[in-house]
Amino acid sequence: MVETGHHQHPPAPAAAGHPPVPSMAVNRGPTWAPAEQLHHLQYCIHSNPSWHETVLLAFQQYIVMLGTTVLLANTLVPPMGGDPGDKARVIQTILFMSGINTLLQTLIGTRLPTVMGVSFAYVLPVLSIVRDYNNGQFDSEKMRFRHTMRTVQGSLIISSFVNIIMGYGQAWGNLIRIFSPIIVVPVVSVVSLGLFLRGFPLLANCVELGLPMLILLIITQQYIKHFVRISRVSTILERYALLVCLALIWAFAAILTVSGAYNNVPVATKQSCRTDRAFLISSAPWIRVPYPFQWGTPIFKASHVFGMFGSAIVASAESTGVFFAASRLAGATAPPAHVVSRSVGLQGIGVLLQGIFGSVTGNTASVENVGLLGLTRIGSRRVVQVSTGFMIFFSIFGKFGAFFASIPLPIFGGIYCILLGIVVAVGISFIQFTDTNSMRNMYVVGVSLFLSLSIAQYFYSNTTRAGYGPVRTAGGWFNDILNTIFASAPFVAIIVATVLDNTLEAKHAFNERGMSWWKPFQHRDGDTRNEEFYSMPLRINEYMPTRFL
């Protein structure tokens, strides 16, 4: 891992005529200067574990992203009229496209070890499409499902150009250039905090599985290793505890299912706890390669296309926060503005491909998988690239993929409680590069954090199961845009933090905001390490226009 210097804040000058205020930290132990790289990372972005370790770690990345994939399919496919077979094919398509998009992003996007998974920002516009086709105009549910999927395809294809234009047109990069560490703190933190429903609320759907998973993972990964005298065993527990604990709790769930523990319980409990209620294994084909326009010719309807524009913007905001978190956990410098911008443009190309191949939503950088980098302390790019092989393999060989997709979701809820918490802490760590005693900075961070979560929660709480949000004008597409945008905590955080930080005495607080440390990383040639971490492979940068780099 590349060694970097520590960033030191200059001492504040003493006021004229007054003696210096004594520090309350005197004789109270050591203090730590801000560090550009996290301590104890075992592998950074361009250092790699051995191949057998890489394969296991890559499989772990696949398992983590699988939970969100199944959760989204469970949310959208049944309201669309799909059966378990349709759900299995949707999951296969999502996995296939996640593999392709992740490989592209790690090669010619940010080059950071980020998995490109599904985005829940597209749920509201998709539910709006479902409402329009839910009036009995089709002869069968199968026909309604296929017609809905074709409309989703058309909307994804057109809305993808929002990301492409914002990214490769440098509009998103110009926004990132006025960022500061003060803005990054709430943006990264709420990217994870805004997903609290995937934590304990998901776990509590089957507490006898989710809670043991949470407790066992903490004990195994953090405590037992300190009592093991064999360093090799300690390393295995630290890196692969998630797989070990998941296997044990999954086996426990299978025993409860077979023994009849869930025979006389409510339907909702059966759906959450039983290992045989997904019907994915029996419904999935043995071999099936997702192909373009598999559901039929895309349908382009203006109202739904415009409604999905808001989702494209929100997905860009989500990915931006995840990219900054990934840079810390991979031991890299903060991604420059042009790198984030090109990654958003490439994300748009990914959404275009998803629309062509028939995915049910667009893509965004997976928060959970970035949290896994921190859990294992391995930020290797190669691990994530190898994980795309598992995504593509299990998307083609459906029975095998469906086997893992049948893991009860509350088990994933226990895992996400840990992984999402790590990302929150990474976001908070950016504040070390600013003046943490500045009341101005406290104001910007505090108000941004609170408002982003509070506004997003208001829009979420006032959205019905049918997808009607608090904004209800005569224009359905206009409602979808506003309801989607303001239900996103990361997007609200970007708006609030950017406005406050750049209008409240911004020039006078240049050093106070951490800009003297931040600015070099945000320019193409500002820091020599930018080229080391973010340059294109195989000298691609010599043959591509600058705007695509």
Side-chain angles (χ1 to χ4, degrees):
M1 186 164 58
V2 177
E3 296 294 335
T4 58
H6 292 295
H7 169 72
Q8 292 278 14
H9 293 293
H18 296 280
V21 179
S23 171
M24 289 187 290
V26 174
N27 298 326
R28 294 197 180 185
T31 59
W32 284 269
E36 290 177 353
Q37 290 183 320
L38 296 175
H39 302 303
H40 311 303
L41 289 180
Q42 297 172 4
Y43 293 93
C44 68
I45 185 170
H46 45 41
S47 60
N48 304 303
S50 61
W51 275 107
H52 69 277
E53 290 180 310
T54 296
V55 171
L56 281 175
L57 291 165
F59 181 70
Q60 205 164 223
Q61 290 280 353
Y62 160 74
I63 288 293
V64 167
M65 67 84 59
L66 184 62
T68 305
T69 301
V70 175
L71 180 60
L72 186 131
N74 287 345
T75 302
L76 291 180
V77 174
M80 296 167 70
D83 57 26
D86 296 322
K87 185 191 299 183
R89 286 186 286 275
V90 165
I91 292 173
Q92 284 180 274
T93 304
I94 292 174
L95 289 176
F96 184 80
M97 294 314 305
S98 291
I100 298 297
N101 289 332
T102 300
L103 192 58
L104 288 174
Q105 197 66 247
T106 55
L107 286 174
I108 58 175
T110 58
R111 305 274 291 147
L112 289 168
T114 51
V115 171
M116 301 304 291
V118 292
S119 173
F120 277 76
Y122 291 84
V123 168
L124 201 60
V126 171
L127 290 178
S128 179
I129 296 173
V130 171
R131 287 199 309 269
D132 281 3
Y133 296 143
N134 203 19
N135 54 6
Q137 57 184 301
F138 300 100
D139 295 333
S140 66
E141 287 292 272
K142 177 69 71 174
M143 291 179 61
R144 182 168 75 90
F145 172 77
R146 296 185 73 88
H147 202 82
T148 305
M149 283 298 303
R150 290 166 58 195
T151 306
V152 171
Q153 280 185 263
S155 301
L156 285 174
I157 290 172
I158 301 300
S159 66
S160 68
F161 288 96
V162 173
N163 301 105
I164 294 173
I165 294 171
M166 286 194 312
Y168 291 125
Q170 295 299 317
W172 200 259
N174 291 333
L175 172 65
I176 301 301
R177 284 187 181 90
I178 62 174
F179 271 28
S180 72
I182 287 295
I183 298 173
V184 173
V185 170
V187 171
V188 174
S189 298
V190 302
V191 155
S192 183
L193 283 173
L195 302 179
F196 64 90
L197 288 176
R198 295 190 211 171
F200 204 87
L202 180 61
L203 176 158
N205 289 337
C206 189
V207 71
E208 62 268 30
L209 298 181
L211 193 58
M213 180 67 207
L214 173 60
I215 295 173
L216 187 62
L217 181 57
I218 294 174
I219 293 175
T220 304
Q221 211 264 346
Q222 295 295 328
Y223 289 96
I224 292 182
K225 67 179 183 179
H226 296 295
F227 298 98
V228 177
R229 297 183 180 274
I230 305 174
S231 61
R232 181 62 180 168
V233 175
S234 178
T235 301
I236 290 174
L237 289 176
E238 185 174 85
R239 296 181 185 176
Y240 312 113
L242 189 148
L243 286 179
V244 174
C245 296
L246 186 143
L248 291 174
I249 302 300
W250 190 14
F252 177 59
I255 292 172
L256 291 179
T257 301
V258 172
S259 65
Y262 300 119
N263 289 346
N264 301 308
V265 295
V267 175
T269 303
K270 291 181 180 180
Q271 294 286 354
S272 297
C273 300
R274 293 183 67 96
T275 57
D276 60 355
R277 293 297 292 183
F279 303 111
L280 293 176
I281 298 178
S282 59
S283 303
W286 278 102
I287 299 177
R288 180 180 181 272
V289 180
Y291 55 91
F293 308 121
Q294 58 182 308
W295 311 110
T297 306
I299 298 173
F300 301 95
K301 193 173 179 181
S303 60
H304 298 313
V305 168
F306 283 116
M308 209 164 274
F309 282 177
S311 302
I313 297 172
V314 166
S316 300
E318 293 172 345
S319 293
T320 299
V322 176
F323 292 149
F324 281 109
S327 68
R328 290 280 286 156
L329 290 169
T333 58
H338 72 278
V339 170
V340 178
S341 197
R342 83 185 180 202
S343 71
V344 168
L346 187 62
Q347 184 175 328
I349 293 177
V351 175
L352 176 62
L353 292 174
Q354 286 179 298
I356 292 173
F357 277 80
S359 179
V360 74
T361 70
N363 68 89
T364 191
S366 171
V367 186
E368 299 88 355
N369 289 87
V370 168
L372 185 59
L373 302 180
L375 185 73
T376 58
R377 301 182 184 180
I378 295 177
S380 170
R381 182 192 294 131
R382 178 185 290 175
V383 168
V384 172
Q385 290 174 333
V386 171
S387 74
T388 64
F390 287 106
M391 299 174 203
I392 295 173
F393 176 85
F394 288 117
S395 69
I396 295 174
F397 297 92
K399 293 289 186 185
F400 299 102
F403 173 72
F404 293 107
S406 64
I407 299 173
L409 288 175
I411 295 179
F412 286 105
I415 296 172
Y416 294 159
C417 285
I418 304 297
L419 302 186
L420 296 179
I422 291 174
V423 177
V424 174
V426 170
I428 295 172
S429 73
F430 277 94
I431 203 169
Q432 68 181 307
F433 304 113
T434 71
D435 183 355
T436 55
N437 292 315
S438 166
M439 287 303 301
R440 175 204 177 275
N441 289 349
M442 291 183 187
Y443 181 89
V444 174
V445 172
V447 172
S448 302
L449 279 171
F450 183 82
L451 278 182
S452 58
L453 293 172
S454 185
I455 292 173
Q457 179 61 25
Y458 167 77
F459 274 79
Y460 178 83
S461 300
N462 288 277
T463 299
T464 65
R465 292 180 65 88
Y468 290 103
V471 179
R472 301 184 186 182
T473 66
W477 62 271
F478 180 76
N479 298 341
D480 288 342
I481 290 178
L482 290 187
N483 287 325
T484 299
I485 284 178
F486 289 103
S488 167
F491 185 79
V492 176
I494 285 180
I495 295 175
V496 176
T498 301
V499 170
L500 291 178
D501 190 52
N502 286 279
T503 56
L504 293 179
E505 301 177 338
K507 291 183 179 180
H508 299 290
F510 187 84
N511 291 326
E512 197 174 312
R513 298 162 60 206
M515 296 302 287
S516 54
W517 171 81
W518 180 259
K519 275 294 183 183
F521 301 129
Q522 292 308 297
H523 295 283
R524 196 178 297 272
D525 301 318
D527 190 285
T528 55
R529 290 166 293 177
N530 287 349
E531 185 72 13
E532 175 187 354
F533 296 127
Y534 300 108
S535 61
M536 294 286 196
L538 304 176
R539 301 171 67 183
I540 293 177
N541 55 302
E542 297 180 10
Y543 309 102
M544 293 180 67
T546 304
R547 70 169 57 251
F548 298 110
L549 298 177

